[in-house]
Amino acid sequence: MHRIGFVVFPRFQLMGFAAVTAFEMANVALGEPVYEIELLSERGGEVKSSAGFGVLAKAFDGTAYDTVMFGASSTIEPMTPALIEFARHALKTARRVAAPCTGAFVLAEAGLLDGRRATTHWAFARQLQERFPAVQVEEDRIFIVDGSVWTSAGMTASIDLALAMIEKDHGQDVARSVARKLVIYHRRAGGQSQFSALLELEPKSDRIQRSIDYAKAHLRGVLSVEELADAAGLSPRQFSRAFRSETGQSPAKAVENLRVEAARLMMEQGRHSMDVIAVETGFADPDRMRRAFLRTLGQPPQTIRRNARDSASA
């Protein structure tokens, strides 16, 4: 029996229970209760969710858990000393500690992420990095495992996190069975990017948005700073300064991200060779594309394609 303690607090977001459902389906797939799940909170009793209704939780005590997972909320809620202390205790006693979405802020506040790689929902990634500079925040990852600490992006990424845990505990076949029961692909790799972080650069001005639109439509070309600046109607120096100010990225990095995302989509479709994909997305050759994938996704193109094929056959 693998005991999971799922921590909730006032105004927690119900989407976190998607991970709980994955463990429930693992019990179904294996035909026995291999995962036992307990809801935990600081004081126990009813805890109100962000949707307005409550759930019953058990108060923190000395119970040992194999996995402790912290819930998340749509805002960064104040953290009590008892919650922080429980997180520190969990790192010492549990086999692994996990925090989907904004739950990463709990781990960071407790010092559990110092010197570690971590991720969170793309909308909160910069705030996490600014508040906790000792954390190596990678804002475009679906989930990250650093030692015994697991973090993930928001919303449905908690399912990817849970499936990765199930695969580690019981193998790929069980994880695939759970994915089928949940009617989702098996599973997105942790290195896969959060697409909003890559594509929704959200510039403040129409000029910078025009340059992004131009880049998306001309990925096969060179896309120099001068070319993008011309599309924006700015000088290269003005453009570079404005682009970084409005998006938080350099023009070169944004173009690379767009190319990686376009190439990833072509790989998932599976109709073209790596050579063709590299040319069509502006990388020119597979080796340059591979280096960009490793920088951006932490995985080579071959792994992305293999994961897509595995998902299609799940």
Side-chain angles (χ1 to χ4, degrees):
M1 178 67 70
H2 184 116
R3 305 189 74 182
I4 298 174
F6 191 96
V7 179
V8 294
F9 43 79
R11 294 176 297 282
F12 75 94
Q13 199 168 49
L14 291 169
M15 191 65 195
F17 284 155
V20 173
T21 300
F23 294 118
E24 177 191 358
M25 290 299 100
N27 289 343
V28 173
L30 289 164
E32 58 179 317
V34 296
Y35 292 107
E36 180 183 73
I37 303 160
E38 288 186 343
L39 294 185
L40 308 174
S41 70
E42 182 176 341
R43 295 185 176 85
E46 185 180 36
V47 181
K48 287 292 184 68
S49 70
S50 60
F53 60 85
V55 297
L56 293 179
K58 172 185 171 183
F60 295 157
D61 59 18
T63 302
Y65 296 92
D66 296 287
T67 297
V68 174
M69 184 174 290
F70 289 83
S73 60
S74 57
T75 57
I76 308 303
E77 299 292 333
M79 294 163 235
T80 65
L83 178 62
I84 299 305
E85 182 56 35
F86 181 79
R88 291 171 179 160
H89 178 74
L91 183 65
K92 297 176 183 177
T93 59
R95 180 155 66 90
R96 60 193 175 205
V97 176
C101 195
T102 57
F105 283 79
V106 177
L107 302 190
E109 186 70 38
L112 275 59
L113 298 182
D114 287 357
R116 295 183 188 269
R117 298 167 55 243
T119 192
T120 186
H121 190 292
W122 62 269
F124 295 96
R126 291 183 191 174
Q127 185 178 348
L128 182 65
Q129 186 66 86
E130 290 169 0
R131 282 183 57 179
F132 305 100
V135 182
Q136 300 174 37
V137 179
E138 299 185 18
E139 66 181 67
D140 62 346
R141 300 301 175 91
I142 293 295
F143 66 86
I144 288 177
V145 183
D146 191 323
S148 61
V149 179
W150 300 52
T151 53
S152 80
M155 302 300 180
T156 58
S158 65
I159 302 176
D160 298 284
L161 186 74
L163 285 173
M165 290 180 174
I166 292 166
E167 181 174 318
K168 185 173 181 64
D169 294 341
H170 300 285
Q172 191 175 76
D173 289 344
V174 174
R176 285 181 175 177
S177 177
V178 172
R180 285 196 296 269
K181 293 180 186 300
L182 295 174
V183 197
I184 61 173
Y185 284 122
H186 170 255
R187 60 180 167 74
R188 292 181 292 178
Q192 185 168 322
S193 290
Q194 298 180 43
F195 307 138
S196 295
L198 277 176
L199 300 180
E200 295 184 14
L201 297 171
E202 298 183 346
K204 298 175 183 178
S205 68
D206 290 340
R207 285 185 169 186
I208 300 303
Q209 184 61 58
R210 283 202 303 272
S211 72
I212 294 171
D213 293 341
Y214 179 89
K216 289 180 180 179
H218 298 84
L219 288 178
R220 188 171 181 174
V222 176
L223 292 178
S224 64
V225 170
E226 290 76 15
E227 187 177 357
L228 295 174
D230 186 63
L234 295 169
S235 71
R237 179 175 294 183
Q238 288 175 320
F239 171 73
S240 294
R241 187 183 303 115
F243 194 97
R244 185 180 287 277
S245 173
E246 294 188 27
T247 68
Q249 300 180 28
S250 68
K253 182 61 177 176
V255 167
E256 181 176 84
N257 286 341
L258 292 170
R259 283 178 166 146
V260 166
E261 176 60 8
R264 184 196 63 79
L265 291 172
M266 290 182 71
M267 288 170 199
E268 289 190 346
Q269 293 167 357
R271 294 196 296 265
H272 303 285
S273 69
M274 291 296 186
D275 288 341
V276 169
I277 293 173
V279 170
E280 290 299 317
T281 55
F283 287 115
D285 66 78
D287 185 59
R288 183 181 170 195
M289 181 171 70
R290 182 179 183 277
R291 292 196 299 270
F293 266 66
L294 289 173
R295 280 193 299 270
T296 304
L297 305 182
Q299 295 181 320
Q302 291 78 6
T303 299
I304 302 298
R305 170 158 279 180
R306 183 171 61 251
N307 288 340
R309 287 172 176 169
D310 288 346
S311 296
S313 62

mmCIF file with all atom_site columns, all heavy atoms in Angstrom, residues 73-93:
data_model
loop_
_atom_site.group_PDB
_atom_site.id
_atom_site.type_symbol
_atom_site.label_atom_id
_atom_site.label_alt_id
_atom_site.label_comp_id
_atom_site.label_asym_id
_atom_site.label_entity_id
_atom_site.label_seq_id
_atom_site.pdbx_PDB_ins_code
_atom_site.Cartn_x
_atom_site.Cartn_y
_atom_site.Cartn_z
_atom_site.occupancy
_atom_site.B_iso_or_equiv
_atom_site.pdbx_formal_charge
_atom_site.auth_seq_id
_atom_site.auth_comp_id
_atom_site.auth_asym_id
_atom_site.auth_atom_id
_atom_site.pdbx_PDB_model_num
ATOM 1   N N   . SER A 1 73 ? -3.896 26.820 -5.685 1.00 0.00 ? 73 SER A N   1
ATOM 2   C CA  . SER A 1 73 ? -5.013 27.763 -5.782 1.00 0.00 ? 73 SER A CA  1
ATOM 3   C C   . SER A 1 73 ? -4.769 28.677 -6.969 1.00 0.00 ? 73 SER A C   1
ATOM 4   O O   . SER A 1 73 ? -3.668 28.708 -7.535 1.00 0.00 ? 73 SER A O   1
ATOM 5   C CB  . SER A 1 73 ? -5.139 28.584 -4.494 1.00 0.00 ? 73 SER A CB  1
ATOM 6   O OG  . SER A 1 73 ? -3.960 29.322 -4.258 1.00 0.00 ? 73 SER A OG  1
ATOM 7   N N   . SER A 1 74 ? -5.783 29.446 -7.338 1.00 0.00 ? 74 SER A N   1
ATOM 8   C CA  . SER A 1 74 ? -5.643 30.330 -8.491 1.00 0.00 ? 74 SER A CA  1
ATOM 9   C C   . SER A 1 74 ? -4.930 31.627 -8.131 1.00 0.00 ? 74 SER A C   1
ATOM 10  O O   . SER A 1 74 ? -4.601 32.431 -9.002 1.00 0.00 ? 74 SER A O   1
ATOM 11  C CB  . SER A 1 74 ? -7.027 30.647 -9.072 1.00 0.00 ? 74 SER A CB  1
ATOM 12  O OG  . SER A 1 74 ? -7.859 31.216 -8.073 1.00 0.00 ? 74 SER A OG  1
ATOM 13  N N   . THR A 1 75 ? -4.692 31.825 -6.841 1.00 0.00 ? 75 THR A N   1
ATOM 14  C CA  . THR A 1 75 ? -3.905 32.963 -6.367 1.00 0.00 ? 75 THR A CA  1
ATOM 15  C C   . THR A 1 75 ? -2.880 32.440 -5.354 1.00 0.00 ? 75 THR A C   1
ATOM 16  O O   . THR A 1 75 ? -2.998 31.319 -4.872 1.00 0.00 ? 75 THR A O   1
ATOM 17  C CB  . THR A 1 75 ? -4.784 34.027 -5.690 1.00 0.00 ? 75 THR A CB  1
ATOM 18  O OG1 . THR A 1 75 ? -5.502 33.415 -4.611 1.00 0.00 ? 75 THR A OG1 1
ATOM 19  C CG2 . THR A 1 75 ? -5.785 34.616 -6.688 1.00 0.00 ? 75 THR A CG2 1
ATOM 20  N N   . ILE A 1 76 ? -1.907 33.249 -5.024 1.00 0.00 ? 76 ILE A N   1
ATOM 21  C CA  . ILE A 1 76 ? -0.916 32.848 -4.033 1.00 0.00 ? 76 ILE A CA  1
ATOM 22  C C   . ILE A 1 76 ? -1.473 33.190 -2.654 1.00 0.00 ? 76 ILE A C   1
ATOM 23  O O   . ILE A 1 76 ? -1.530 34.357 -2.266 1.00 0.00 ? 76 ILE A O   1
ATOM 24  C CB  . ILE A 1 76 ? 0.440  33.546 -4.256 1.00 0.00 ? 76 ILE A CB  1
ATOM 25  C CG1 . ILE A 1 76 ? 0.891  33.358 -5.714 1.00 0.00 ? 76 ILE A CG1 1
ATOM 26  C CG2 . ILE A 1 76 ? 1.474  32.999 -3.298 1.00 0.00 ? 76 ILE A CG2 1
ATOM 27  C CD1 . ILE A 1 76 ? 0.997  31.926 -6.144 1.00 0.00 ? 76 ILE A CD1 1
ATOM 28  N N   . GLU A 1 77 ? -1.915 32.179 -1.929 1.00 0.00 ? 77 GLU A N   1
ATOM 29  C CA  . GLU A 1 77 ? -2.534 32.376 -0.633 1.00 0.00 ? 77 GLU A CA  1
ATOM 30  C C   . GLU A 1 77 ? -1.468 32.488 0.464  1.00 0.00 ? 77 GLU A C   1
ATOM 31  O O   . GLU A 1 77 ? -0.378 31.923 0.346  1.00 0.00 ? 77 GLU A O   1
ATOM 32  C CB  . GLU A 1 77 ? -3.473 31.203 -0.314 1.00 0.00 ? 77 GLU A CB  1
ATOM 33  C CG  . GLU A 1 77 ? -4.620 31.036 -1.302 1.00 0.00 ? 77 GLU A CG  1
ATOM 34  C CD  . GLU A 1 77 ? -5.624 32.173 -1.225 1.00 0.00 ? 77 GLU A CD  1
ATOM 35  O OE1 . GLU A 1 77 ? -5.744 32.782 -0.129 1.00 0.00 ? 77 GLU A OE1 1
ATOM 36  O OE2 . GLU A 1 77 ? -6.266 32.475 -2.247 1.00 0.00 ? 77 GLU A OE2 1
ATOM 37  N N   . PRO A 1 78 ? -1.782 33.218 1.553  1.00 0.00 ? 78 PRO A N   1
ATOM 38  C CA  . PRO A 1 78 ? -0.842 33.289 2.684  1.00 0.00 ? 78 PRO A CA  1
ATOM 39  C C   . PRO A 1 78 ? -0.582 31.889 3.253  1.00 0.00 ? 78 PRO A C   1
ATOM 40  O O   . PRO A 1 78 ? -1.474 31.044 3.287  1.00 0.00 ? 78 PRO A O   1
ATOM 41  C CB  . PRO A 1 78 ? -1.586 34.167 3.703  1.00 0.00 ? 78 PRO A CB  1
ATOM 42  C CG  . PRO A 1 78 ? -2.570 34.938 2.889  1.00 0.00 ? 78 PRO A CG  1
ATOM 43  C CD  . PRO A 1 78 ? -2.987 34.037 1.775  1.00 0.00 ? 78 PRO A CD  1
ATOM 44  N N   . MET A 1 79 ? 0.653  31.651 3.664  1.00 0.00 ? 79 MET A N   1
ATOM 45  C CA  . MET A 1 79 ? 1.036  30.341 4.187  1.00 0.00 ? 79 MET A CA  1
ATOM 46  C C   . MET A 1 79 ? 1.294  30.426 5.679  1.00 0.00 ? 79 MET A C   1
ATOM 47  O O   . MET A 1 79 ? 2.030  31.300 6.135  1.00 0.00 ? 79 MET A O   1
ATOM 48  C CB  . MET A 1 79 ? 2.287  29.836 3.457  1.00 0.00 ? 79 MET A CB  1
ATOM 49  C CG  . MET A 1 79 ? 2.049  29.557 1.987  1.00 0.00 ? 79 MET A CG  1
ATOM 50  S SD  . MET A 1 79 ? 3.600  29.434 1.072  1.00 0.00 ? 79 MET A SD  1
ATOM 51  C CE  . MET A 1 79 ? 3.341  30.646 -0.205 1.00 0.00 ? 79 MET A CE  1
ATOM 52  N N   . THR A 1 80 ? 0.687  29.537 6.432  1.00 0.00 ? 80 THR A N   1
ATOM 53  C CA  . THR A 1 80 ? 0.843  29.556 7.880  1.00 0.00 ? 80 THR A CA  1
ATOM 54  C C   . THR A 1 80 ? 2.132  28.849 8.288  1.00 0.00 ? 80 THR A C   1
ATOM 55  O O   . THR A 1 80 ? 2.650  28.005 7.539  1.00 0.00 ? 80 THR A O   1
ATOM 56  C CB  . THR A 1 80 ? -0.339 28.854 8.559  1.00 0.00 ? 80 THR A CB  1
ATOM 57  O OG1 . THR A 1 80 ? -0.314 27.461 8.197  1.00 0.00 ? 80 THR A OG1 1
ATOM 58  C CG2 . THR A 1 80 ? -1.663 29.471 8.123  1.00 0.00 ? 80 THR A CG2 1
ATOM 59  N N   . PRO A 1 81 ? 2.650  29.163 9.460  1.00 0.00 ? 81 PRO A N   1
ATOM 60  C CA  . PRO A 1 81 ? 3.847  28.462 9.947  1.00 0.00 ? 81 PRO A CA  1
ATOM 61  C C   . PRO A 1 81 ? 3.659  26.957 10.020 1.00 0.00 ? 81 PRO A C   1
ATOM 62  O O   . PRO A 1 81 ? 4.591  26.194 9.744  1.00 0.00 ? 81 PRO A O   1
ATOM 63  C CB  . PRO A 1 81 ? 4.070  29.079 11.338 1.00 0.00 ? 81 PRO A CB  1
ATOM 64  C CG  . PRO A 1 81 ? 3.464  30.441 11.244 1.00 0.00 ? 81 PRO A CG  1
ATOM 65  C CD  . PRO A 1 81 ? 2.258  30.272 10.357 1.00 0.00 ? 81 PRO A CD  1
ATOM 66  N N   . ALA A 1 82 ? 2.445  26.509 10.397 1.00 0.00 ? 82 ALA A N   1
ATOM 67  C CA  . ALA A 1 82 ? 2.192  25.070 10.501 1.00 0.00 ? 82 ALA A CA  1
ATOM 68  C C   . ALA A 1 82 ? 2.275  24.394 9.134  1.00 0.00 ? 82 ALA A C   1
ATOM 69  O O   . ALA A 1 82 ? 2.779  23.272 9.017  1.00 0.00 ? 82 ALA A O   1
ATOM 70  C CB  . ALA A 1 82 ? 0.822  24.821 11.128 1.00 0.00 ? 82 ALA A CB  1
ATOM 71  N N   . LEU A 1 83 ? 1.796  25.062 8.091  1.00 0.00 ? 83 LEU A N   1
ATOM 72  C CA  . LEU A 1 83 ? 1.865  24.498 6.739  1.00 0.00 ? 83 LEU A CA  1
ATOM 73  C C   . LEU A 1 83 ? 3.319  24.391 6.281  1.00 0.00 ? 83 LEU A C   1
ATOM 74  O O   . LEU A 1 83 ? 3.729  23.368 5.719  1.00 0.00 ? 83 LEU A O   1
ATOM 75  C CB  . LEU A 1 83 ? 1.068  25.369 5.767  1.00 0.00 ? 83 LEU A CB  1
ATOM 76  C CG  . LEU A 1 83 ? 1.074  24.939 4.293  1.00 0.00 ? 83 LEU A CG  1
ATOM 77  C CD1 . LEU A 1 83 ? 0.451  23.563 4.127  1.00 0.00 ? 83 LEU A CD1 1
ATOM 78  C CD2 . LEU A 1 83 ? 0.349  25.970 3.428  1.00 0.00 ? 83 LEU A CD2 1
ATOM 79  N N   . ILE A 1 84 ? 4.095  25.430 6.547  1.00 0.00 ? 84 ILE A N   1
ATOM 80  C CA  . ILE A 1 84 ? 5.504  25.419 6.165  1.00 0.00 ? 84 ILE A CA  1
ATOM 81  C C   . ILE A 1 84 ? 6.253  24.321 6.912  1.00 0.00 ? 84 ILE A C   1
ATOM 82  O O   . ILE A 1 84 ? 7.058  23.583 6.332  1.00 0.00 ? 84 ILE A O   1
ATOM 83  C CB  . ILE A 1 84 ? 6.148  26.790 6.436  1.00 0.00 ? 84 ILE A CB  1
ATOM 84  C CG1 . ILE A 1 84 ? 5.459  27.880 5.609  1.00 0.00 ? 84 ILE A CG1 1
ATOM 85  C CG2 . ILE A 1 84 ? 7.640  26.746 6.141  1.00 0.00 ? 84 ILE A CG2 1
ATOM 86  C CD1 . ILE A 1 84 ? 5.426  27.611 4.129  1.00 0.00 ? 84 ILE A CD1 1
ATOM 87  N N   . GLU A 1 85 ? 5.979  24.177 8.197  1.00 0.00 ? 85 GLU A N   1
ATOM 88  C CA  . GLU A 1 85 ? 6.655  23.158 8.988  1.00 0.00 ? 85 GLU A CA  1
ATOM 89  C C   . GLU A 1 85 ? 6.269  21.762 8.518  1.00 0.00 ? 85 GLU A C   1
ATOM 90  O O   . GLU A 1 85 ? 7.106  20.851 8.485  1.00 0.00 ? 85 GLU A O   1
ATOM 91  C CB  . GLU A 1 85 ? 6.309  23.323 10.468 1.00 0.00 ? 85 GLU A CB  1
ATOM 92  C CG  . GLU A 1 85 ? 7.006  22.338 11.388 1.00 0.00 ? 85 GLU A CG  1
ATOM 93  C CD  . GLU A 1 85 ? 8.521  22.360 11.252 1.00 0.00 ? 85 GLU A CD  1
ATOM 94  O OE1 . GLU A 1 85 ? 9.092  23.451 11.016 1.00 0.00 ? 85 GLU A OE1 1
ATOM 95  O OE2 . GLU A 1 85 ? 9.142  21.279 11.364 1.00 0.00 ? 85 GLU A OE2 1
ATOM 96  N N   . PHE A 1 86 ? 5.003  21.575 8.134  1.00 0.00 ? 86 PHE A N   1
ATOM 97  C CA  . PHE A 1 86 ? 4.569  20.270 7.630  1.00 0.00 ? 86 PHE A CA  1
ATOM 98  C C   . PHE A 1 86 ? 5.304  19.930 6.340  1.00 0.00 ? 86 PHE A C   1
ATOM 99  O O   . PHE A 1 86 ? 5.689  18.776 6.117  1.00 0.00 ? 86 PHE A O   1
ATOM 100 C CB  . PHE A 1 86 ? 3.063  20.253 7.397  1.00 0.00 ? 86 PHE A CB  1
ATOM 101 C CG  . PHE A 1 86 ? 2.551  18.930 6.905  1.00 0.00 ? 86 PHE A CG  1
ATOM 102 C CD1 . PHE A 1 86 ? 2.346  17.871 7.781  1.00 0.00 ? 86 PHE A CD1 1
ATOM 103 C CD2 . PHE A 1 86 ? 2.297  18.724 5.560  1.00 0.00 ? 86 PHE A CD2 1
ATOM 104 C CE1 . PHE A 1 86 ? 1.897  16.641 7.334  1.00 0.00 ? 86 PHE A CE1 1
ATOM 105 C CE2 . PHE A 1 86 ? 1.838  17.494 5.097  1.00 0.00 ? 86 PHE A CE2 1
ATOM 106 C CZ  . PHE A 1 86 ? 1.636  16.452 5.991  1.00 0.00 ? 86 PHE A CZ  1
ATOM 107 N N   . ALA A 1 87 ? 5.506  20.923 5.470  1.00 0.00 ? 87 ALA A N   1
ATOM 108 C CA  . ALA A 1 87 ? 6.243  20.686 4.223  1.00 0.00 ? 87 ALA A CA  1
ATOM 109 C C   . ALA A 1 87 ? 7.676  20.248 4.511  1.00 0.00 ? 87 ALA A C   1
ATOM 110 O O   . ALA A 1 87 ? 8.190  19.312 3.890  1.00 0.00 ? 87 ALA A O   1
ATOM 111 C CB  . ALA A 1 87 ? 6.228  21.949 3.364  1.00 0.00 ? 87 ALA A CB  1
ATOM 112 N N   . ARG A 1 88 ? 8.316  20.906 5.462  1.00 0.00 ? 88 ARG A N   1
ATOM 113 C CA  . ARG A 1 88 ? 9.691  20.532 5.818  1.00 0.00 ? 88 ARG A CA  1
ATOM 114 C C   . ARG A 1 88 ? 9.745  19.120 6.408  1.00 0.00 ? 88 ARG A C   1
ATOM 115 O O   . ARG A 1 88 ? 10.655 18.345 6.107  1.00 0.00 ? 88 ARG A O   1
ATOM 116 C CB  . ARG A 1 88 ? 10.255 21.549 6.812  1.00 0.00 ? 88 ARG A CB  1
ATOM 117 C CG  . ARG A 1 88 ? 10.503 22.918 6.190  1.00 0.00 ? 88 ARG A CG  1
ATOM 118 C CD  . ARG A 1 88 ? 10.842 23.953 7.237  1.00 0.00 ? 88 ARG A CD  1
ATOM 119 N NE  . ARG A 1 88 ? 11.108 25.259 6.612  1.00 0.00 ? 88 ARG A NE  1
ATOM 120 C CZ  . ARG A 1 88 ? 11.044 26.417 7.267  1.00 0.00 ? 88 ARG A CZ  1
ATOM 121 N NH1 . ARG A 1 88 ? 10.737 26.432 8.565  1.00 0.00 ? 88 ARG A NH1 1
ATOM 122 N NH2 . ARG A 1 88 ? 11.303 27.546 6.622  1.00 0.00 ? 88 ARG A NH2 1
ATOM 123 N N   . HIS A 1 89 ? 8.756  18.795 7.226  1.00 0.00 ? 89 HIS A N   1
ATOM 124 C CA  . HIS A 1 89 ? 8.691  17.457 7.810  1.00 0.00 ? 89 HIS A CA  1
ATOM 125 C C   . HIS A 1 89 ? 8.476  16.405 6.720  1.00 0.00 ? 89 HIS A C   1
ATOM 126 O O   . HIS A 1 89 ? 9.073  15.320 6.761  1.00 0.00 ? 89 HIS A O   1
ATOM 127 C CB  . HIS A 1 89 ? 7.550  17.405 8.836  1.00 0.00 ? 89 HIS A CB  1
ATOM 128 C CG  . HIS A 1 89 ? 7.366  16.065 9.461  1.00 0.00 ? 89 HIS A CG  1
ATOM 129 N ND1 . HIS A 1 89 ? 8.221  15.558 10.413 1.00 0.00 ? 89 HIS A ND1 1
ATOM 130 C CD2 . HIS A 1 89 ? 6.399  15.106 9.265  1.00 0.00 ? 89 HIS A CD2 1
ATOM 131 C CE1 . HIS A 1 89 ? 7.802  14.348 10.783 1.00 0.00 ? 89 HIS A CE1 1
ATOM 132 N NE2 . HIS A 1 89 ? 6.707  14.059 10.106 1.00 0.00 ? 89 HIS A NE2 1
ATOM 133 N N   . ALA A 1 90 ? 7.636  16.737 5.741  1.00 0.00 ? 90 ALA A N   1
ATOM 134 C CA  . ALA A 1 90 ? 7.331  15.796 4.656  1.00 0.00 ? 90 ALA A CA  1
ATOM 135 C C   . ALA A 1 90 ? 8.582  15.452 3.858  1.00 0.00 ? 90 ALA A C   1
ATOM 136 O O   . ALA A 1 90 ? 8.779  14.303 3.453  1.00 0.00 ? 90 ALA A O   1
ATOM 137 C CB  . ALA A 1 90 ? 6.258  16.377 3.742  1.00 0.00 ? 90 ALA A CB  1
ATOM 138 N N   . LEU A 1 91 ? 9.444  16.447 3.616  1.00 0.00 ? 91 LEU A N   1
ATOM 139 C CA  . LEU A 1 91 ? 10.652 16.174 2.852  1.00 0.00 ? 91 LEU A CA  1
ATOM 140 C C   . LEU A 1 91 ? 11.547 15.170 3.568  1.00 0.00 ? 91 LEU A C   1
ATOM 141 O O   . LEU A 1 91 ? 12.218 14.361 2.933  1.00 0.00 ? 91 LEU A O   1
ATOM 142 C CB  . LEU A 1 91 ? 11.424 17.478 2.610  1.00 0.00 ? 91 LEU A CB  1
ATOM 143 C CG  . LEU A 1 91 ? 12.685 17.344 1.742  1.00 0.00 ? 91 LEU A CG  1
ATOM 144 C CD1 . LEU A 1 91 ? 12.321 16.936 0.321  1.00 0.00 ? 91 LEU A CD1 1
ATOM 145 C CD2 . LEU A 1 91 ? 13.484 18.640 1.728  1.00 0.00 ? 91 LEU A CD2 1
ATOM 146 N N   . LYS A 1 92 ? 11.522 15.184 4.896  1.00 0.00 ? 92 LYS A N   1
ATOM 147 C CA  . LYS A 1 92 ? 12.361 14.285 5.677  1.00 0.00 ? 92 LYS A CA  1
ATOM 148 C C   . LYS A 1 92 ? 11.769 12.884 5.803  1.00 0.00 ? 92 LYS A C   1
ATOM 149 O O   . LYS A 1 92 ? 12.506 11.906 5.933  1.00 0.00 ? 92 LYS A O   1
ATOM 150 C CB  . LYS A 1 92 ? 12.567 14.863 7.091  1.00 0.00 ? 92 LYS A CB  1
ATOM 151 C CG  . LYS A 1 92 ? 13.302 16.181 7.119  1.00 0.00 ? 92 LYS A CG  1
ATOM 152 C CD  . LYS A 1 92 ? 13.363 16.725 8.538  1.00 0.00 ? 92 LYS A CD  1
ATOM 153 C CE  . LYS A 1 92 ? 14.039 18.092 8.591  1.00 0.00 ? 92 LYS A CE  1
ATOM 154 N NZ  . LYS A 1 92 ? 14.020 18.655 9.975  1.00 0.00 ? 92 LYS A NZ  1
ATOM 155 N N   . THR A 1 93 ? 10.441 12.778 5.752  1.00 0.00 ? 93 THR A N   1
ATOM 156 C CA  . THR A 1 93 ? 9.796  11.498 6.045  1.00 0.00 ? 93 THR A CA  1
ATOM 157 C C   . THR A 1 93 ? 9.183  10.799 4.841  1.00 0.00 ? 93 THR A C   1
ATOM 158 O O   . THR A 1 93 ? 9.055  9.569  4.843  1.00 0.00 ? 93 THR A O   1
ATOM 159 C CB  . THR A 1 93 ? 8.700  11.696 7.105  1.00 0.00 ? 93 THR A CB  1
ATOM 160 O OG1 . THR A 1 93 ? 7.728  12.649 6.610  1.00 0.00 ? 93 THR A OG1 1
ATOM 161 C CG2 . THR A 1 93 ? 9.289  12.228 8.404  1.00 0.00 ? 93 THR A CG2 1
#
